[in-house]
Amino acid sequence: MDYLDSLNEPQREAVVNTEGPCMVIAGAGSGKTRVLTYRIAHLIRAKGVDPFSILALTFTNKAAAEMRNRIESVVGLEAKNLWMGTFHSTFARILRYESDRLGYPANFSIYDTDDSKTLIRQIIKGLKLDDKVYKPNVVLNRISGAKNRLISWQDYINNPIFQAEDEGAMKPQMGKIYKIYCERCFKASAMDFDDLLFNTNVLFRDNPDILNKYQHRFKYVLVDEFQDTNLSQYLITKKLSAVNQNVCVVGDDAQSIYAFRGADIKNILNFEKDYPDLKVVKLEQNYRSTKVIVNAANSVIINNTRQLKKDVWTANEDGDLIELLKSNSDNEEGKLVAASIFEEKLNHQIKNIQIAVLYRTNSQSRAIEEALRRANIKYKIVGGLSFYQRREIKDLLAYLRFVVNQNDEQALRRIINLPKRGIGTGSVDKIIVAANDNGLTIWQVVSDIFRFLPGRITNAIDQFAFMIKSFMVVIQKKDAYEAASYIAKQSGLLRALYEDKTIEGLSRYENVQGLLNAIKEFVDNDENEDKSLGTFLQEVALLTSVDQDKDEDNDKVTLMTIHMAKGLEFKNIYLVGMEEDLFPSQMMLSSRADLEEERRLFYVAITRAERKLFLSYAISRYRFGRLKSCEPSRFLEEIDSNYIKVNRKFRKDPETHSQTLHYAKSLVSGVKKTIPKAINNNFTHKPSSDFKPSDTSNLEQGMKVEHLKFGFGKVVNIDIEGANRKAKVLFDNFGEKTLLLSFAKLKIYT
DNA sequence: GCGTAACCTGTTTTT
DNA sequence: CAGGTTACGC
């Protein structure tokens, strides 16, 4: 097998050991996707496994698409029969086949987060509760959290612990909202994202014959980014592979960044307990980045307490030191980044496509965008307000959804008065009340309005119902594309947009055309056997972005959030907004676990870089529409300062460089490690109440100091390199740290 | 029921 | 700042 030759020893082990449970702990840049790809290729090629019986699960559509491509390039067209997709899309498909077992129709709708939130808002209103106490966001998160841990509304209501928690949070009605939410979703023949996984668990639990069918079908189960699985996903994986036990999970606990969505590192830690004869392979050699980057990342992640032991190292060159960019404002930050990109391209022959700008929040993209535009640097934004979240797209999709599933209450609400036909929210509420009072579905009321709600508004509603009925006929006869075009025209949606001659109106019109094109592509794609509108909707509901970048010129700088960047790599990375309260986000400061997740996110960001990393922070930034001053992120202090070059005016100082080299070598060869180890697990030092940072310009060896986070310590050494003064301090509880005095907040005691 | 205008509120990350 | 929501006049 020629492809095996290109693998290192642990990689090969992970590829070749196809039988039995296997866990691959893969450090950043260690060839994780490569292993997964080759393992599947090996199964098909060397072991003669039918691709039909292999199931590969990922978290994002992007990852699934990329892996499919890579496998196809190794095994060719055979890869077509492989089941590969996100957890959500894979099990949505299975639920569609088996929906009758759950009492759902096969054409159930999938509610996106907006639909869920709107429904919850309605329920809260219906219960006459204050939506400032019961914030829809918070309520949805709570419900989502329960579902991800497989806690049904019945379990929830019967559990006094949850009741007590909710009462403590002044939200005693939470269980009731959860219950009504589930009932309303069921009545609407709709599942939200979490239901897709929750209901798969229910399906397998209550229908042994079905579970058995899939257990025997999927002889080999592979899971990528296993650190991001929640309990619900974990149990599905476990159940599916219970018979054959051929389950292979690949992940990196240091890159677990989706705990907010219910991901649980415990799944990795527990895996060994669940499979006593588990084969564990560690991939520790990084092929992606320079020594500076790998070691800097290591020096950061070491601050986390909960992690699997792992030594990520690289044989690559030392590389350039990490550069810090300091600016006065977010706009200036953009300019500085643009200028640096320009310079890098000039001096190092780097292309736009090899550069990415990463940020914590989507809103940070604006300033960067503007600067790049002015500097004439081509860029593209990944993520953000996705195509399918735009209003006009959701409007047309709601039409299509309703024509496919007349129980879809949220879709109905969206389209019944769109374009305006004189049916206000009052009438809609009446319809829903009438439906509930008579034990009818909303569609039964709407389609027979004269009988159930005689009154003024009946004509408009009757016309609407008539139109929908005609659409229902159309989708029986035509393919998805023809049906959708017909509906877009006949509903008046397209005309309303066409008549809007503003710039936004124009782009909305184009977007709707874009959606229709996407449907056309779906129909024309021979890989899709089922070309019905229902199938299209099912798939599209789980899509966040679309390959809309049809632009010939794809040499563009990439702008995206750190989350979106996971799994990707770029020659140069610009990580912007390195400020307290932004990164780490102020929402994540309340607990150690949250802060550790932010730190892992930082780790992910650093390790995206192949050759050069830039960290940027601004002293002030517009937030909430007001200019606010910011402090440099605590994470900047956590990077071993040997890897940082502070002032760009001071070019490489030979001494610094050789020190770095020496240090890096000592790391790789496993000689004595000088990385300051965190000795104490205390979250942070509690600073003295009168803590005020002192002026450190006169700091000297031997002085006793207090640090905001590390507590008390003694200065061991002062280093001056160019403009930067560094202090090596031995802290009582945190060991030795090298601090850059331009950042570190120290109070001098002696 | 509709449109406009003041108003308020809140920005984490994604399937 | 921007999006969504409410209050009001038509």
Side-chain angles (χ1 to χ4, degrees), chain A residues 91-106 108 182 185-187 189-191 194-207 209-210:
Chain A
F91 296 110
R93 217 162 132 187
I94 288 181
L95 285 173
R96 212 161 129 83
Y97 292 143
E98 318 290 352
S99 58
D100 55 322
R101 298 291 185 108
L102 294 166
Y104 269 91
F108 65 83
C182 291
C185 282
F186 185 72
K187 202 171 168 214
S189 301
M191 297 194 198
D194 303 314
D195 286 333
L196 295 173
L197 305 171
F198 184 95
N199 286 334
T200 301
N201 271 290
V202 172
L203 177 75
F204 288 161
R205 183 195 66 198
D206 296 344
N207 301 276
D209 58 321
I210 289 181

Side-chain angles (χ1 to χ4, degrees), chain A residues 423-460:
Chain A
I423 309 169
T425 46
S427 307
V428 177
D429 287 339
K430 271 186 209 157
I431 291 169
I432 292 184
V433 168
N436 286 337
D437 288 351
N438 298 304
L440 300 166
T441 66
I442 37 176
W443 175 241
Q444 283 172 315
V445 176
V446 168
S447 62
D448 207 353
I449 194 74
F450 291 113
R451 180 137 75 96
F452 296 108
L453 264 185
R456 280 166 281 117
I457 48 167
T458 44
N459 273 332

Side-chain angles (χ1 to χ4, degrees), chain A residues 113-131:
Chain A
T113 310
D114 280 344
D115 295 319
S116 300
K117 240 181 258 175
T118 312
L119 175 53
I120 283 174
R121 206 173 286 125
Q122 287 160 12
I123 293 169
I124 289 166
K125 208 181 254 171
L127 290 173
K128 304 248 182 321
L129 297 170
D130 184 355
D131 68 354

Side-chain angles (χ1 to χ4, degrees), chain A residues 154 157 313 621:
Chain A
Q154 291 93 338
I157 282 183
W313 61 279
R621 173 180 301 277

Side-chain angles (χ1 to χ4, degrees), chain A residues 630-731:
Chain A
C630 323
E631 278 181 47
S633 169
R634 70 187 71 192
F635 290 153
L636 291 173
E637 284 180 58
E638 293 182 2
I639 300 180
D640 188 311
S641 61
N642 284 316
Y643 303 121
I644 298 183
K645 176 163 83 178
V646 178
N647 196 322
R648 307 189 66 217
K649 282 185 201 118
F650 291 86
R651 290 294 167 196
K652 253 178 244 159
D653 159 22
E655 202 180 286
T656 322
H657 195 234
S658 70
Q659 260 183 7
T660 311
L661 220 165
H662 174 75
Y663 178 67
K665 273 185 182 155
S666 74
L667 268 185
V668 172
S669 58
V671 190
K672 190 174 165 242
K673 298 201 175 172
T674 44
I675 288 185
K677 276 244 190 310
I679 296 173
N680 192 311
N681 284 349
N682 285 340
F683 178 24
T684 37
H685 162 70
K686 280 203 190 64
S688 318
S689 52
D690 61 338
F691 186 91
K692 245 189 271 141
S694 315
D695 173 18
T696 51
S697 51
N698 296 319
L699 191 71
E700 280 173 33
Q701 194 177 330
M703 284 179 164
K704 192 184 170 206
V705 293
E706 181 184 6
H707 182 272
L708 257 184
K709 183 179 157 199
F710 303 133
F712 298 100
K714 202 170 155 187
V715 179
V716 180
N717 190 15
I718 301 268
D719 246 6
I720 300 177
E721 280 166 18
N724 318 312
R725 288 175 74 237
K726 300 174 181 179
K728 198 181 273 181
V729 182
L730 179 63
F731 288 103

Side-chain angles (χ1 to χ4, degrees), chain A residues 114-336:
Chain A
D114 280 344
D115 295 319
S116 300
K117 240 181 258 175
T118 312
L119 175 53
I120 283 174
R121 206 173 286 125
Q122 287 160 12
I123 293 169
I124 289 166
K125 208 181 254 171
L127 290 173
K128 304 248 182 321
L129 297 170
D130 184 355
D131 68 354
K132 293 198 175 60
V133 178
Y134 291 87
K135 291 188 180 151
N137 251 328
V138 175
V139 174
L140 181 60
N141 276 336
R142 182 95 176 145
I143 292 174
S144 171
K147 283 184 186 169
N148 286 331
R149 284 177 292 152
L150 293 186
I151 298 159
S152 67
W153 66 261
Q154 291 93 338
D155 298 338
Y156 192 97
I157 282 183
N158 290 329
N159 191 325
I161 296 173
F162 297 138
Q163 188 66 38
E165 277 174 7
D166 289 337
E167 273 164 20
M170 309 297 279
K171 298 182 188 65
Q173 302 294 317
M174 191 70 85
K176 195 168 182 184
I177 299 173
Y178 185 13
K179 172 174 186 268
I180 297 174
Y181 175 75
C182 291
E183 289 169 347
R184 290 275 284 271
C185 282
F186 185 72
K187 202 171 168 214
S189 301
M191 297 194 198
D192 67 15
F193 289 140
D194 303 314
D195 286 333
L196 295 173
L197 305 171
F198 184 95
N199 286 334
T200 301
N201 271 290
V202 172
L203 177 75
F204 288 161
R205 183 195 66 198
D206 296 344
N207 301 276
D209 58 321
I210 289 181
L211 174 60
N212 198 274
K213 180 168 95 187
Y214 289 103
Q215 279 174 334
H216 284 94
R217 164 157 187 185
F218 298 124
K219 298 194 169 61
Y220 295 86
V221 179
L222 298 97
V223 183
D224 191 15
E225 307 282 11
F226 186 63
Q227 74 279 355
D228 291 331
T229 46
N230 57 39
L231 182 68
S232 187
Q233 291 163 322
Y234 179 62
L235 289 179
I236 293 174
T237 311
K238 197 174 154 187
K239 275 185 184 164
L240 270 183
S241 52
V243 171
N244 289 298
Q245 298 261 319
N246 294 325
V247 54
C248 174
V249 301
V250 182
D252 179 6
D253 56 305
Q255 295 185 62
S256 161
I257 54 175
Y258 285 109
F260 72 90
R261 202 170 82 190
D264 195 342
I265 308 192
K266 270 187 262 156
N267 289 338
I268 284 200
L269 306 173
N270 287 341
F271 203 66
E272 268 176 300
K273 283 184 212 146
D274 285 349
Y275 298 93
D277 54 343
L278 177 70
K279 167 111 190 150
V280 180
V281 179
K282 279 188 192 174
L283 306 181
E284 297 177 308
Q285 180 175 3
N286 173 302
Y287 292 96
R288 177 185 295 154
S289 314
T290 63
K291 282 194 182 72
V292 162
I293 288 162
V294 169
N295 293 339
N298 284 340
S299 75
V300 166
I301 202 67
I302 206 164
N303 290 295
N304 275 4
T305 52
R306 265 194 353 156
Q307 52 185 318
L308 298 175
K309 206 198 144 324
K310 179 165 18 83
D311 278 313
V312 180
W313 61 279
T314 184
N316 293 343
E317 58 173 5
D318 296 333
D320 293 338
L321 291 177
I322 296 169
E323 286 197 31
L324 283 177
L325 306 177
K326 176 184 175 180
S327 43
N328 289 315
S329 67
D330 42 3
N331 289 327
E332 197 184 301
E333 177 178 56
K335 282 183 203 157
L336 216 54

